[in-house]
Amino acid sequence: MFKTGLPYALLALGIFISYRVLDIADLSCEGSFTLGGALSAVLLVLGWNPFLATFMGMFAGFLAGIITGLIHTKLKITSLLAGIITMTGLFSINLVIMGLAPTVTQTNINGVKDYIISYNESGYSALVNLNGYNVNKEPIVRIYDTFLAVFSKNNYNMIFISLLIVIIIGLLIYWFFGTEIGMGVRATGINAKMARAQGINTNAMIILGLGISNALIALSGSLFAQTQKSASSTMGVGVLVIGLASIIIGEGIFGKRTFKNWIISVLLGAVVYYLIVVVAIQLGLPSHYQKLLYALLILIVLAVPQLRKMLFKGGKKHVNA
Amino acid sequence: MSMLKLEKGLKIFNLTGHESDQRIAMDHLDLEIEEGEWVTIIGGNGSGKSTLMNVISGVHELDSGHLYIDGEEVTKLPEHKRAKYLGRVFQDPNMGTAGMISIEENMSIASRRMRKNTLKWGFHKEERKKYYEMIKSLNLGLEDRLLQKVGLLSGGQRQAITLLMATLQTPKILLLDEHTAALDPKTARIVLEITEKIVTENKLTTLMITHNMRDAIKYGDRLIMMYGGKIIYDVKGEEKKNLTVDFLLNKFEEMDKITFDD
Ligand SMILES: Nc1ncnc2c1ncn2[C@@H]1O[C@H](COP(=O)(O)OP(=O)(O)OP(=O)(O)O)[C@@H](O)[C@H]1O
Ligand SMILES: [Mg+2]
């Protein structure tokens, strides 16, 4: 159950960096999530080391974020549009990237096993399957297939590796935002005028921040594809809402008193969010109602403070009367 | 050598691109300020006072002319790179500090204004004592609230903290743009007294915009009056000390009459 939930924690953290730390609504996340998944999947089929393939997926997301940042800061296009431009462009790029993965099929002719490696002729593809074989004619090795000696059960292994990555990334992000440069990014998001007056290059901080944000989102996409054993051109649809919901739920339940507290809240928010969705599905919620559930979840968490106020006020009035 | 030198500074704002919509905010302005000089700037709304500050700090780039700080030409230097020379306090108390982080974190950002930020940890325990003493000297009782978010402070308290941040690393020039205008009279007085203490103790070269004629006369060693993007009156020394509010108000009216008669 946790195995796909944990990558969402990184998604939430990535969106947290743009939406909360930089105070920028970056819509490119659906594109960078898919980008991370697509590139990692292709590299796995090409026989790359799974850690390297995962890292490259993350790095591609970093570059995508930098492009959004450059469009926004250098060409002075609003962040909302800059994100949309990147996302739109990425849709095609992701198809082309996935087209680079050959299909490896096993044949069995007269009892002799062999493999056929066929390359995409159309130049694009909307799906990369991670269930089969790589170009070295060996089974594809995902990041989750690496520590198999530690845990005999595949699912525990998945949870362990996902958890490890989430914890490492969480610590790295906490460390980064405590450094001078990280404080510069935070100051830029809170008050850019003040930041510039204090010698902070706010444009550079926005570009860097969006890079890190999209790197985490792409890493999340890469891990997601590896848990699902496939990457598809539409795997990113809806991740913005998932990320926002996780942030809002996390803040609502676990608070945001200090920056450390805030990061942990966002990570846990993604887990809680995922639990709610899984429970709802187990209870028999038809899948086409899922989006409605997401929307209601966000609405409830956002409305709680206001509802509390209304109830409180109502109670007071009652006492006064 | 002068600390600040502006040669034929020109700044024209144009929102639409049409010539009829343009506004000359700084009109071939020449200004030279000596090291350690404290200049008060007065002038009506739209006379170009803030534009002067914004041109010095790099918020706006000059359309033509040259700007030197301590002998170095900075005409083309972007705002964040000029920050190492300048301390700035704005009219809006929310502008000078970051509300969502603590007093201590704001101060630590300010203490790194002179150099490039690195991947070193952004705050050291030893800094706390220094900030504690500095804030204690404000006599506002804020020294025990170092860990609180700046957003919880009042406007006057935020301005006082901003002043500290602007001068924590001694700036070559301190720019104060109506920094007490948003405060109630009593708080404004307190912040001005803190300003005087900091400026005189550190012998800071200072430009201070104010709409309060009495303050403009009382503080500083030189007074500049602006009108239509130009300096129309510039006094210092004894002459400045002997100024009266009535004299300055007359000067304003004279100016309005001249342009009206045109
Ligand atoms: N960013 C801007 N865009 C367009 N016009 C501007 C801008 N900043 C200033 N101006 C114009 O330049 C002129 C001078 O403005 P400035 O802000 O320097 O005046 P000021 O002397 O500071 O006035 P106040 O006392 O109201 O603060 C005004 O006519 C103003 O409308
Ligand atoms: Mg002004």
Side-chain angles (χ1 to χ4, degrees), chain B residues 13 15 23 25 43-51 60 178 211:
Chain B
F13 288 108
L15 295 180
R23 172 88 206 176
N45 294 126
S47 57
K49 306 179 299 294
S50 296
T51 302
H60 301 314
E178 295 188 46
H211 278 296

Side-chain angles (χ1 to χ4, degrees), chain A residues 227-242:
Chain A
T227 55
Q228 303 289 306
K229 292 197 176 183
S230 75
S232 83
S233 62
T234 54
M235 63 183 273
V237 174
V239 293
L240 177 63
V241 175
I242 295 175

Side-chain angles (χ1 to χ4, degrees), chain B residues 13-23:
Chain B
F13 288 108
N14 196 333
L15 295 180
T16 57
H18 286 289
E19 210 166 300
S20 56
D21 284 332
Q22 76 180 19
R23 172 88 206 176

Side-chain angles (χ1 to χ4, degrees), chain A residues 144-145 147-148 151 153-161:
Chain A
Y144 300 116
D145 304 319
F147 283 107
L148 273 183
F151 298 97
K153 264 202 169 163
N154 218 337
N155 273 350
Y156 290 150
N157 195 50
M158 245 186 207
I159 293 170
F160 170 73
I161 291 177

Side-chain angles (χ1 to χ4, degrees), chain B:
Chain B
M1 192 187 295
S2 54
M3 187 53 92
L4 179 87
K5 190 170 165 194
L6 180 61
E7 285 176 354
K8 299 242 168 307
L10 176 73
K11 182 68 212 170
I12 300 173
F13 288 108
N14 196 333
L15 295 180
T16 57
H18 286 289
E19 210 166 300
S20 56
D21 284 332
Q22 76 180 19
R23 172 88 206 176
I24 301 177
M26 177 183 279
D27 191 358
H28 299 91
L29 195 78
D30 284 310
L31 176 65
E32 208 167 335
I33 293 169
E34 296 304 319
E35 185 172 353
E37 215 169 18
W38 181 354
V39 185
T40 57
I41 303 174
I42 56 173
N45 294 126
S47 57
K49 306 179 299 294
S50 296
T51 302
L52 174 62
M53 294 267 179
N54 288 335
V55 158
I56 295 171
S57 59
V59 174
H60 301 314
E61 201 179 301
L62 278 174
D63 292 320
S64 71
H66 296 273
L67 180 72
Y68 304 86
I69 295 176
D70 202 12
E72 184 194 336
E73 170 142 27
V74 296
T75 317
K76 298 278 176 207
L77 211 59
E79 184 183 358
H80 67 93
K81 284 194 180 159
R82 285 188 214 184
K84 62 171 177 271
Y85 304 127
L86 306 172
R88 292 158 66 190
V89 185
F90 312 97
Q91 177 174 350
D92 180 353
N94 297 331
M95 275 295 126
T97 44
M100 300 259 288
I101 53 177
S102 66
I103 297 180
E104 182 175 271
E105 285 169 314
N106 270 277
M107 303 272 291
S108 71
I109 289 173
S111 76
R112 288 157 175 80
R113 177 163 51 84
M114 309 293 242
R115 57 173 177 79
K116 260 198 138 52
N117 281 339
T118 65
L119 282 176
K120 282 207 261 318
W121 198 245
F123 178 79
H124 297 288
K125 279 262 157 60
E126 312 89 69
E127 295 176 51
R128 183 165 293 161
K129 197 164 161 39
K130 193 172 106 197
Y131 301 153
Y132 180 88
E133 294 301 331
M134 291 181 75
I135 292 179
K136 199 168 171 193
S137 73
L138 293 176
N139 278 324
L140 295 175
L142 291 176
E143 58 272 18
D144 297 317
R145 298 170 64 180
L146 273 177
L147 295 175
Q148 272 186 20
K149 294 203 167 60
V150 169
L152 295 170
L153 304 184
S154 72
Q157 292 169 332
R158 280 182 88 151
Q159 285 306 64
I161 297 291
T162 310
L163 253 174
L164 277 189
M165 289 166 60
T167 52
L168 209 152
Q169 297 284 344
T170 311
K172 286 188 188 291
I173 305 170
L174 178 62
L175 301 173
L176 310 169
D177 188 350
E178 295 188 46
H179 70 305
T180 59
L183 311 177
D184 68 65
K186 187 164 162 256
T187 314
R189 190 69 25 221
I190 294 170
V191 170
L192 263 178
E193 273 157 23
I194 295 169
T195 308
E196 183 176 34
K197 183 162 168 270
I198 292 176
V199 169
T200 49
E201 267 175 14
N202 300 290
K203 296 190 180 62
L204 294 176
T205 312
T206 304
L207 270 77
M208 180 172 94
I209 298 176
T210 177
H211 278 296
N212 185 321
M213 304 290 155
R214 216 164 296 133
D215 289 338
I217 296 170
K218 179 178 169 193
Y219 296 100
D221 5 73
R222 181 175 167 190
L223 180 145
I224 285 173
M225 188 188 280
M226 293 191 67
Y227 188 95
K230 287 188 169 105
I231 292 173
I232 54 157
Y233 186 57
D234 186 346
V235 274
K236 56 175 126 185
E238 280 303 307
E239 203 186 338
K240 181 200 175 246
K241 285 208 190 82
N242 296 328
L243 284 174
T244 62
V245 173
D246 283 338
F247 177 82
L248 290 178
L249 288 175
N250 269 335
K251 204 105 197 135
F252 273 123
E253 273 171 29
E254 244 173 68
M255 242 8 251
D256 279 334
K257 229 182 261 150
I258 293 170
T259 37
F260 197 70
D261 290 345
D262 275 355

